[in-house]
Amino acid sequence: MNINTKDGMAQAVAWQQKWVDGVKEGGVWVVPRSGNIIRISHRNRTATVVSSLVSEPDIRKVFEEMGWRYVDPAMELSIL
């Protein structure tokens, strides 16, 4: 999927939404290719990175396209 194209982003959103929908409120989604652990809040439409082995900027882009807020505390600290 090339998320830089309209069709690619639509496919990525559908794929990611499927996985996120399977996570209970407050549960975590473990992204296999990167080892990222992301806490899911359906209520707040927020995805919070709990642990990250590799940065995944595309995940952030897709969450934002889904209308979700993506929080990565490590990135926020590195800005300070």
Side-chain angles (χ1 to χ4, degrees), residues 2-75:
N2 179 356
I3 67 168
N4 295 315
T5 67
K6 186 177 178 179
D7 288 341
M9 179 58 86
Q11 290 172 356
V13 165
W15 182 88
Q16 189 161 299
Q17 188 68 60
K18 180 185 86 169
W19 287 104
V20 169
D21 286 348
V23 177
K24 292 181 181 178
E25 176 66 29
V28 296
W29 174 35
V30 179
V31 182
R33 76 178 188 185
S34 64
N36 286 345
I37 301 173
I38 301 172
R39 184 162 315 282
I40 301 296
S41 174
H42 296 282
R43 186 176 325 125
N44 298 323
R45 294 181 62 83
T46 301
T48 304
V49 176
V50 175
S51 177
S52 176
L53 296 176
V54 176
S55 177
E56 281 270 15
D58 289 349
I59 291 176
R60 172 188 291 270
K61 291 176 188 175
V62 176
F63 268 115
E64 290 172 351
E65 183 71 19
M66 291 165 53
W68 282 56
R69 187 169 148 247
Y70 184 87
V71 179
D72 186 346
M75 293 304 294

